[in-house]
Structures are given as structure tokens and as C-alpha cells.
């Protein structure tokens, strides 16, 4: 026997099911007294790391810091000012990675130190692709007006040039044009980092898991090509 469905009393509509509550983003922790500028820069660095340079905004950095949307303007009057601070922080971290690697490099082996610098350069760039893109491209902030980025970048270039000049003076290099060697070394690490960031490596048969080892291998290949025969034999 079929059971009849009772109609609702006259004048009343059936109750509609309530929609499930929408998932909310976790509330930002309220900001307490401290270095708000630093907190905002760290929040902007996270935004860049998660969504790329275009994801950086003062409003979202403020939300993550747990302050009002107007608070960032006390320190960063525009998005360009915030991006400049992000670039300076990224460059500082980049330089710190290289300096840390050089503490373990052999002091009497300039070519060995150059290798350590190159490995640290590639490791940081591949681990922090969006931050590397910010400091290596002129699309996201004004390089010429960023004294911190320009100064750090000039010091790293000078360090690389000095290492290769010392290697040449120590007889570690072939009889090559030193300026060409310095430029080629820069082009090698920068070019490989860009290939990784732009997603070109898979076209060359290099998977994500292999990229780090490939970076070290091509750097060693370059060093082998510029090393003087006598210096190469001495290391065997």
C-alpha cells in the first residue's frame, strides 16, 4: 500500500533546506605592537611566493598582518613602494644564501669558490622562482630607484668577477678572455634559472626532480671548459 504524502497546512510553505555555511578563510592574527613594516614585507613576500608578483597588494598584506587596510600606507604610500621593499628583501635573502655557501668554500681555491657561488645562486633561484623573477626583471619595480637592490646586485657581480680574476691570476684558467669568461658564467646561471622559471626544462627532457642535479652538472661542465689543463690534472 502506498503512503500518501501530506500537504502542508494551508497558507504555509514547506521549509527550505538551509544552505551549508560557506567556508571562511582563517582569520588573520591580530597585530600587536612591533615592527609593522617588517610584518607587512613578510606578508607581501608570502603573497609573491604563493601567487606571483601580481598577487601582492597592500590590502591583502594588511589582512594577513591583522591590521586595517589603511595601515600599510603609513609605510608604503603605493603598491610600487611595497614591491620595491619586496625586491630589496628578496635580494637580501638571495645574497645571504650565497654568503652562507661561501663560508664553507675553500679559501685558497677561487675556482672552487666560484662553483659554490654558482650552486648557491641556482639553488636559491630554483627554490624561490617568483622572488628571483622579481629581482631579475624590470617589470615589477624601478631598479634605478632601489638603492638596496642595485647595491647588493653590484656587490654580487663584483664578487663573481673577482673570483674569476683570482682564478686566472692563480693559473687555474685557460688562456681565455677574462671578460668573456665572466659574462659567460653569468649568462649560464641566469639562463638556466630562467629556463626553470619559464617552464622550458621539460622540453629539453629535464624533469623537476632532475633540475637540481642538472644545474650542478652544467656548472661543472662550464668550469671544466675554462680550467687550465695543469690545474685540472692537479685535482685528479
Amino acid at each position: 500500500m502506498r503512503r500518501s504524502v501530506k500537504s502542508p497546512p494551508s497558507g504555509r510553505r514547506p521549509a527550505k533546506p538551509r544552505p551549508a555555511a560557506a567556508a571562511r578563510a582563517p582569520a588573520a592574527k591580530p597585530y600587536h605592537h612591533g615592527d609593522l613594516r617588517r610584518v607587512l614585507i613578510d606578508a607581501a613576500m608570502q603573497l609573491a611566493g604563493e601567487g606571483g608578483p601580481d598577487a601582492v597588494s597592500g590590502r591583502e598584506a594588511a589582512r594577513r598582518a591583522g591590521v586595517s587596510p589603511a595601515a600599510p600606507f603609513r609605510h608604503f604610500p603605493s603598491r610600487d613602494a611595497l614591491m620595491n621593499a619586496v625586491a630589496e628583501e628578496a635580494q637580501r635573502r638571495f645574497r645571504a644564501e650565497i654568503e652562507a655557501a661561501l663560508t664553507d668554500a675553500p679559501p685558497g681555491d677561487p675556482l672552487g669558490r666560484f662553483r659554490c657561488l654558482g650552486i648557491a645562486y641556482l639553488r636559491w633561484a630554483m627554490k624561490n622562482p617568483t622572488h628571483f623573477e622579481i629581482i631579475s626583471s624590470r617589470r615589477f619595480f624601478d631598479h634605478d630607484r632601489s638603492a638596496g637592490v642595485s647595491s647588493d646586485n653590484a656587490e654580487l657581480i663584483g664578487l663573481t668577477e673577482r673570483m674569476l680574476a683570482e682564478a686566472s691570476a692563480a693559473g687555474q684558467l685557460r688562456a681565455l678572455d677574462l671578460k668573456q669568461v665572466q659574462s659567460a658564467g653569468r649568462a649560464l646561471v641566469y639562463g638556466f634559472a630562467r629556463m626553470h622559471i619559464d617552464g622550458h626544462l621539460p622540453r629539453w627532457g629535464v624533469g623537476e626532480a632532475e633540475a637540481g642535479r642538472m644545474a650542478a652538472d652544467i656548472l661543472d661542465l662550464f668550469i671544466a671548459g675554462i680550467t687550465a689543463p695543469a690545474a685540472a690534472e692537479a685535482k685528479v
Side-chain angles (χ1 to χ4, degrees):
M1 178 181 295
R2 297 178 59 187
R3 298 179 61 185
S4 61
V5 179
K6 294 182 179 180
S7 300
S10 176
R12 294 179 60 187
R13 295 182 180 178
K16 294 183 179 180
R18 294 183 179 179
R24 294 183 179 179
K29 294 181 179 179
Y31 172 75
H32 297 289
H33 295 292
D35 188 350
L36 178 56
R37 186 177 190 277
R38 164 55 49 192
V39 172
L40 291 169
I41 292 173
D42 288 343
M45 289 287 287
Q46 288 182 343
L47 289 169
E50 294 167 5
D54 293 334
V56 177
S57 73
R59 178 177 292 273
E60 183 59 21
R63 190 191 72 80
R64 293 200 175 192
V67 296
S68 71
F73 290 96
R74 301 170 191 168
H75 301 281
F76 308 107
S78 65
R79 182 180 182 277
D80 287 346
L82 179 58
M83 284 301 298
N84 188 82
V86 168
E88 290 185 348
E89 175 62 16
Q91 183 71 35
R92 186 194 67 77
R93 295 183 187 185
F94 182 38
R95 180 177 173 180
E97 177 96 0
I98 290 173
E99 289 177 344
L102 290 176
T103 59
D104 298 326
D109 180 7
L111 204 50
R113 291 177 62 79
F114 170 76
R115 183 183 187 276
C116 287
L117 185 152
I119 292 293
Y121 182 114
L122 288 165
R123 181 175 59 231
W124 190 89
M126 294 169 69
K127 187 170 59 178
N128 304 278
T130 54
H131 296 158
F132 181 79
E133 186 174 12
I134 288 171
I135 62 176
S136 64
S137 171
R138 291 184 175 270
R139 294 192 297 119
F140 305 110
F141 75 105
D142 189 343
H143 277 249
D144 296 330
R145 296 180 62 184
S146 176
V149 175
S150 297
S151 175
D152 273 357
N153 190 49
E155 288 190 22
L156 287 178
I157 291 174
L159 180 61
T160 304
E161 291 179 340
R162 287 195 302 274
M163 285 180 181
L164 290 172
E166 290 169 6
S168 178
Q172 291 185 313
L173 301 186
R174 293 175 181 271
L176 301 169
D177 184 284
L178 181 58
K179 201 64 180 176
Q180 289 182 1
V181 172
Q182 292 167 338
S183 297
R186 164 72 176 177
L188 176 75
V189 292
Y190 176 79
F192 191 88
R194 288 299 325 180
M195 287 178 71
H196 180 263
I197 290 171
D198 295 337
H200 294 311
L201 293 180
R203 301 180 191 175
W204 294 82
V206 181
E208 187 66 29
E210 303 173 84
R213 178 177 55 80
M214 176 68 76
D217 287 347
I218 65 165
L219 185 59
D220 287 338
L221 184 64
F222 172 76
I223 291 173
I226 64 174
T227 301
E233 291 174 3
K235 287 192 174 185
V236 176

